[in-house]
Amino acid sequence: MTDSDPTTDGQGAAALVSNGVEFDSRDAALLREIDRTGSVARASSNLGRSRARALSRIDTLEDAFGELVERHRGGSGGGGSQLTQPAEALLGRYERLQAALTATAQVPETVLRGTVTERSGELAEVDTAVGAIRGLHDGVAVGDEVQARIGADSITLLDPSGDPEPDATSARNRLVGSITEVDRGETVLTARVSVGGVVFQALVTADSARRLALGERGKIVLTWKATATRLVGVDH
């Protein structure tokens, strides 16, 4: 059995996949309701689904993920349904995946558009409005137009006076910009840095912001690894 975690664009929606069958938010809701009510019939009714369709879906899921619902026919105990340990584990995996995707979706990105000028293995160099940017690609060619997407959590801000030489660090991308705004959260701040008119966003801790004196600073150095840059082809 193999699991993967495809998502729907921009929605942060999780899905676990086994043997070609997706376990998604509707399936998770069904299992949670069965666990709460102790009945497939009541769970499907509460969710506005037919019992027959719910049972069919459970059968499909169990063919792929193993036994999920233990069903007992009526008798002195009245019958009912309960989740198996594999079902509880599956729900746990799904919820952890959904939480991770939600957290990822909340991290702002800086998106640059440019043209691939060089490609070496899984890395490529892109000519953008702020200069050459290196990043990971999934099948691009020299001359392709791409988006370079950089998560705010992957950018490191450095004091220009203490900035190492470009070749002395594994952060393959390095730019110099000016702080334009700092949004303060309880423990994490979002710094906006203008580089040639392009605004980058970077997440920094309160301690780092104090050490760098971001509120008083003009120039700042941005660095991030090529492996933290996603290069995505642009459809025309």
Side-chain angles (χ1 to χ4, degrees):
M1 179 174 71
T2 58
D3 292 331
S4 59
D5 50 353
T7 67
T8 55
D9 290 343
Q11 301 300 314
L16 295 170
V17 181
S18 178
N19 299 323
V21 176
E22 289 192 5
F23 180 90
D24 60 17
S25 60
R26 285 177 56 84
D27 300 318
L30 177 59
L31 290 191
R32 291 191 194 104
E33 196 64 14
I34 291 171
D35 187 44
R36 189 181 73 82
T37 63
S39 165
V40 174
R42 284 195 294 274
S44 55
S45 176
N46 289 349
L47 294 171
R49 308 176 197 177
S50 72
R51 178 176 179 274
R53 187 177 294 275
L55 288 171
S56 176
R57 181 58 181 169
I58 291 169
D59 287 341
T60 298
L61 292 171
E62 290 186 330
D63 285 343
F65 292 94
E67 186 182 11
L68 302 176
V69 179
E70 200 172 276
R71 283 160 272 182
H72 306 281
R73 296 189 180 278
S76 59
S81 300
Q82 63 185 44
L83 301 188
T84 64
Q85 285 188 343
E88 297 282 2
L90 182 63
L91 275 175
R93 289 209 312 277
Y94 177 82
E95 288 164 358
R96 287 192 296 274
L97 173 61
Q98 183 65 71
L101 291 174
T102 299
T104 300
Q106 292 172 345
V107 174
E109 286 186 321
T110 300
V111 181
L112 301 170
R113 197 160 176 146
T115 303
V116 177
T117 58
E118 183 181 329
R119 172 178 152 169
S120 177
E122 69 273 20
L123 295 176
E125 188 167 292
V126 179
D127 183 29
T128 75
V130 297
I133 297 294
R134 290 172 59 82
L136 282 174
H137 70 86
D138 186 17
V140 299
V142 172
D144 283 356
E145 190 173 354
V146 298
Q147 287 183 344
R149 309 184 73 94
I150 307 125
D153 57 343
S154 66
I155 294 176
T156 299
L157 300 183
L158 300 173
D159 183 336
S161 64
D163 178 33
E165 292 299 320
D167 293 336
T169 172
S170 61
R172 299 293 184 87
N173 293 302
R174 177 186 179 279
L175 298 170
V176 179
S178 301
I179 297 287
T180 60
E181 187 179 0
V182 178
D183 290 339
R184 298 184 178 276
E186 290 185 10
T187 56
V188 178
L189 295 80
T190 302
R192 291 177 173 81
V193 183
S194 177
V195 180
V198 176
V199 176
F200 286 74
Q201 298 187 75
L203 299 184
V204 295
T205 64
D207 286 344
S208 293
R210 282 192 294 271
R211 177 172 50 80
L212 291 168
L214 290 186
E216 307 164 14
R217 179 178 298 283
K219 295 295 183 182
I220 197 80
V221 173
L222 304 84
T223 66
W224 70 95
K225 294 182 179 180
T227 51
T229 308
R230 294 185 297 116
L231 303 180
V232 182
V234 175
D235 293 329
H236 294 281

